[in-house]
Amino acid sequence: MNHNELSHLRPKLESALELLTLELSPQQVDLLMEYLLLLQKWNKVYNLTAIRDPEEMLTKHLIDSLAVVPHIDSESIIDVGTGGGLPGIPLAICFPERRIDLLDSNSKKTRFLIQAKAQLGLNNTQVWHKRVEEYQPEPLYDAVISRAFASLEDMLTWTHHLIPEGGVWWAMKAQKETEDLAGLPEYAEVTRIIELQVPGLDAQRRLIQAQKKAD
């Protein structure tokens, strides 16, 4: 797959990857472009995201998700409330050797994810159509990531059964959401707050890393 109808956006993606110092193969860039096309096509029917314009999707969804890639060092990750696969599918493309699973309770969204997984050949990802509190993974994941949760506290509370002691949460946040880091559950400790620069996006983003302590 070299050419798709959004290929005019490829240079913008490539320059963003350069700014993020992400070295991907041409095949990986192909897959990211193919994913963008799938997202745009299915969005017309399935309403995966409120953003309709492909160029805006590229910046606000794809590049926004890729901005966290240099910081994520966990080997097995579940993207909870992944929606249309963000950031999980970009992570799965960037880390073919890691396990990156996707969970969402919306059946339209998981139908899209299953199709995307098949079409992009992502053998390192499983799609789970479940409510997060009902999912009991074996083995547990090294980390949970999400860019959709309303609050960090809710994310920690609803997902702490998915990771072991020492496991990590990665919460993607818009800068304007000021998080109350004081009111977090006692089994979680914020270990890093990473300020992100998303190429092409005139807004602050941050990645909050928290670690699970002994209950």
Side-chain angles (χ1 to χ4, degrees):
M1 202 271 344
N2 302 325
H3 192 80
N4 75 35
E5 63 209 55
L6 301 181
S7 52
H8 63 286
L9 295 178
R10 188 183 178 113
K12 190 172 175 181
L13 174 60
E14 287 171 337
S15 79
L17 290 169
E18 215 167 291
L19 289 166
L20 294 168
T21 58
L22 270 184
E23 289 185 24
L24 300 184
S25 70
Q27 291 76 14
Q28 284 171 305
V29 180
D30 283 349
L31 287 175
L32 289 169
M33 288 303 301
E34 197 172 340
Y35 169 58
L36 183 65
L37 185 64
L38 283 172
L39 192 61
Q40 191 231 345
K41 283 190 164 164
W42 279 63
N43 197 40
K44 291 172 183 161
V45 185
Y46 273 36
N47 218 6
L48 302 166
T49 159
I51 296 174
R52 293 276 178 262
D53 173 58
E55 189 160 358
E56 225 182 315
M57 271 185 190
L58 173 66
T59 302
K60 290 186 176 168
H61 286 330
L62 198 53
I63 296 171
D64 186 55
S65 292
L66 291 166
V68 304
V69 170
H71 307 287
I72 305 285
D73 50 13
S74 315
E75 284 302 316
S76 67
I77 304 171
I78 183 159
D79 177 10
V80 172
T82 182
L86 297 152
I89 287 181
L91 287 176
I93 291 169
C94 292
F95 299 128
E97 71 296 341
R98 302 189 199 177
R99 175 184 171 203
I100 314 279
D101 286 359
L102 311 169
L103 181 140
D104 206 278
S105 60
N106 178 310
S107 60
K108 276 188 177 176
K109 290 177 177 166
T110 52
R111 230 170 302 162
F112 165 72
L113 297 171
I114 289 164
Q115 176 68 29
K117 167 185 156 68
Q119 215 162 316
L120 301 170
L122 300 176
N123 303 324
N124 57 333
T125 185
Q126 290 270 16
V127 176
W128 300 99
H129 172 225
K130 284 182 186 293
R131 294 170 62 85
V132 65
E133 58 271 26
E134 290 161 3
Y135 179 43
Q136 301 294 334
E138 275 297 323
L140 297 174
Y141 295 89
D142 296 334
V144 169
I145 194 165
S146 184
R147 76 193 276 262
F149 267 86
S151 76
L152 184 61
E153 187 179 353
D154 282 349
M155 178 182 170
L156 302 179
T157 305
W158 294 347
T159 63
H160 71 94
H161 63 289
L162 302 177
I163 55 174
E165 195 181 310
V168 169
W169 289 276
W170 300 99
M172 296 170 66
K173 294 286 174 190
Q175 190 74 312
K176 61 180 182 294
E177 305 166 21
T178 46
E179 283 290 338
D180 177 19
L181 300 178
L184 299 181
E186 61 276 9
Y187 53 75
E189 176 185 16
V190 172
T191 43
R192 277 199 299 171
I193 297 178
I194 301 158
E195 304 298 338
L196 301 171
Q197 290 297 327
V198 180
L201 196 62
D202 191 22
Q204 284 296 307
R205 290 282 186 266
R206 57 169 40 160
L207 180 64
I208 299 175
Q209 180 188 25
Q211 191 163 32
K212 186 173 176 180
K213 302 191 290 187
D215 282 351

